[in-house]
Amino acid sequence: MKYLVLLGSLYMLHTHPRTIPQAFNNNLITPNVIRSAPVLKAQIKYISGASVHFGNVLQPIDVRLPPAITWPNKGPTSYYTLVMTDPDAGEVSEVKHWIVGNIPGNSVWRGETIAEYVGSAPPFGTGRHRYIFLVFEQHFGRIQFLEPYSAVLDFSFRPYFSVQQFANKYQLGSPIAGNFFYASWDYSVPILRAQLGLL
């Protein structure tokens, strides 16, 4: 086990902290999508049994439902924002797949959902897309988010997103934790895209 001291707290890492920024840089997430990489790992596991690990390939059928996600945190008196985004959506640019703010500790279910979770749905022939999870600490406490709410089957406010602009708008700074996977089209994608009104 490796340890990292951050803001006076002792956090446990399962990988050397330098490998996380390197993974984000090698996969062109930094600086293209977010200016600075996180140094902590967000642990992400789906009910299908699939786990996210810095660029592994998952099937859309296995990531249809929201995952369980945890990250090193300072406890329930500190607040965090979780973002999942796809920067490889082509003509609609970056697409937000999940945003939850005002999360006490890492109790995601107790946070304020801004965009309901939508699994990966890359169109046929567009290759592999990156699906990126980023966790930001809310250094100034609870935030009054002014974003339009995105329901689970509503695509209206999801495209043309920028996680960097979102972080700037709410003074979130750099992400403290993160992870990402790749996914490409499979037979489940047309069903989800039809539900979102994209076919």
Side-chain angles (χ1 to χ4, degrees), residues 9-180:
S9 297
L10 192 63
Y11 292 116
M12 186 181 298
L13 294 178
H14 296 286
T15 56
H16 194 287
R18 285 182 297 187
T19 66
I20 297 174
Q22 183 178 19
F24 273 70
N25 185 65
N26 289 349
N27 289 273
L28 303 180
I29 298 170
T30 52
N32 299 21
V33 181
I34 192 75
R35 191 173 300 121
S36 300
V39 296
L40 301 172
K41 180 180 181 178
Q43 299 276 0
I44 303 164
K45 187 166 186 177
Y46 286 89
I47 194 170
S48 65
S51 295
V52 178
H53 187 73
F54 301 112
N56 61 330
V57 179
L58 301 179
Q59 297 299 314
I61 188 67
D62 293 326
V63 299
R64 293 171 297 168
L65 300 175
I69 177 168
T70 60
W71 58 87
N73 67 91
K74 298 177 182 177
T77 59
S78 293
Y79 293 94
Y80 299 84
T81 295
L82 165 66
V83 177
M84 176 186 175
T85 188
D86 170 11
D88 301 318
E91 63 183 22
V92 295
S93 185
E94 191 175 338
V95 171
K96 58 180 159 183
H97 279 250
W98 196 18
I99 303 180
V100 185
N102 293 322
I103 300 169
N106 57 21
S107 300
V108 176
W109 69 93
R110 294 175 57 197
E112 175 187 347
T113 300
I114 298 164
E116 298 280 0
Y117 178 87
V118 171
S120 58
F124 181 79
T126 61
R128 289 178 177 172
H129 289 217
R130 294 164 294 174
Y131 293 89
I132 305 163
F133 296 84
L134 296 169
V135 177
F136 299 87
E137 183 177 355
Q138 298 175 196
H139 297 286
F140 305 105
R142 292 183 63 88
I143 293 173
Q144 182 179 359
F145 291 98
L146 303 176
E147 307 302 303
Y149 172 73
S150 293
V152 65
L153 296 180
D154 181 6
F155 194 72
S156 303
F157 302 109
R158 295 181 183 273
Y160 305 106
F161 177 65
S162 167
V163 66
Q164 184 63 68
Q165 291 179 13
F166 178 85
N168 293 345
K169 179 177 180 179
Y170 294 104
Q171 301 180 33
L172 294 172
S174 299
I176 63 157
N179 214 324
F180 61 96

